[in-house]
Amino acid sequence: MNAFDFALDGLAPADNASEDAMETFWAGDLTVLSQHHAAPSGSHSFALAHDRSVTWGIPGDPQLVAIAVIRDLSRSTFTFEASRHATVSFAQNWLIERGCPTERIALGSGHYVKPADDLTVQVEQQIRQSGTRYEVLDTYTSEYDPSETWTLARDSRAAQAPVRVFHEEWDHDAGTYTMREGAFANVGAAHTWLEERSGPLPEPPEYSDHDGAVVRARIARIARARSVGASGTPTAGLHAPRTTPTEPVQRRLM
């Protein structure tokens, strides 16, 4: 993993939005987790990075950033887009929607905590391949105990309980993490669960379709396809072991 080089020397932003987006970041704050550069012209670049500066900002802000750069070498200009995310899979989805090949933005095999089970892999694949299915409404990243993130989204395909919570929790001692999807009737119910944690995360109704046969079949296919050393979630930055703060970090609900 290394710092991200935007490779924009001699190029000018094509519009104000690109200039503003680029000035939001300092390359020295970004630790690259995965990147892809189109060959041979290098006209397109995609990167998934951890923004270390966020750890000194507002508690709960997303620490992952997805970046898409398009260079028009004939005009010596570039367009620059960026989006912040709480989890790797949502960041990958954003990059894939902008033309990055799925396999090119996968995380490498080193220095990562791994999925704890096949359901985690299934949920992450679902997010990566979801296109514009999910409208992200809110996120939160906790650096302390519990070490977790959650993404609150609206599922445009859900006939029931369309508000979804994607909850990721890390076990640093085991070097693993879990991702689970919960379903709620509305945003208020989801926020209540996130605030109180009074029971288990409610499973989506479709998990029980045909006695769960569909979900179980998907998990079985994933289990057969997984190989030793499969990539996971980065341990750098937000996934590093934490020291308990002197004061609790308050969960931010928007």
Side-chain angles (χ1 to χ4, degrees):
M1 293 183 284
N2 53 3
F4 182 55
D5 181 2
F6 296 129
L8 301 176
D9 291 345
L11 303 179
D15 48 43
N16 291 335
S18 294
E19 183 174 15
D20 292 343
M22 183 187 66
E23 291 180 351
T24 303
F25 303 102
W26 179 54
D29 286 333
L30 303 180
T31 300
V32 175
L33 306 176
S34 182
Q35 60 185 316
H36 170 63
H37 304 282
S41 65
S43 59
H44 291 63
S45 290
F46 304 93
L48 169 57
H50 176 252
D51 185 354
R52 295 187 298 275
S53 69
V54 177
T55 62
W56 302 101
I58 300 173
D61 277 356
Q63 297 181 13
L64 299 176
V65 58
I67 298 171
V69 177
I70 301 176
R71 303 172 188 85
D72 186 341
L73 302 181
S74 65
R75 298 183 179 181
S76 297
T77 61
F78 66 88
T79 59
F80 188 108
E81 285 188 276
S83 181
R84 295 188 180 275
H85 301 271
T87 62
V88 167
S89 49
F90 272 100
Q92 290 170 326
N93 168 264
W94 187 90
L95 291 166
I96 291 166
E97 281 300 289
R98 278 150 186 81
C100 184
T102 303
E103 67 279 5
R104 297 294 185 180
I105 206 63
L107 299 183
S109 58
H111 306 296
Y112 303 114
V113 289
K114 297 179 180 180
D117 51 33
D118 293 318
L119 181 55
T120 295
V121 179
Q122 151 69 19
V123 174
E124 290 187 309
Q125 285 187 357
Q126 176 180 305
I127 294 168
R128 274 192 297 271
Q129 300 168 2
S130 63
T132 59
R133 173 177 177 176
Y134 298 112
E135 176 194 2
V136 175
L137 306 175
D138 193 10
T139 70
Y140 188 83
T141 298
S142 171
E143 297 192 75
Y144 306 107
D145 189 16
S147 190
E148 65 175 15
T149 73
W150 52 257
T151 298
L152 180 64
R154 193 179 306 278
D155 184 353
S156 62
R157 298 184 192 174
Q160 304 177 56
V163 175
R164 301 298 165 95
V165 169
F166 294 93
H167 179 255
E168 182 182 79
E169 187 168 10
W170 315 304
D171 183 339
H172 295 294
D173 292 335
T176 61
Y177 68 97
T178 58
M179 171 74 86
R180 295 292 185 264
E181 177 184 6
F184 299 87
N186 52 60
V187 172
H191 275 167
T192 297
W193 185 88
L194 289 166
E195 184 69 23
E196 299 177 356
R197 308 294 176 99
S198 56
L201 188 63
E203 286 191 346
E206 57 266 27
Y207 278 31
S208 299
D209 288 352
H210 311 295
D211 295 324
V214 174
V215 173
R216 287 199 300 273
R218 288 175 180 170
I219 293 174
R221 287 197 298 271
I222 290 169
R224 289 193 296 269
R226 289 182 66 184
S227 60
V228 176
S231 61
T233 298
T235 56
L238 67 131
H239 292 267
R242 301 298 174 189
T243 301
T244 304
T246 56
E247 296 182 1
V249 176
Q250 296 297 315
R251 179 171 289 108
R252 174 175 56 85
L253 297 178
M254 297 172 59

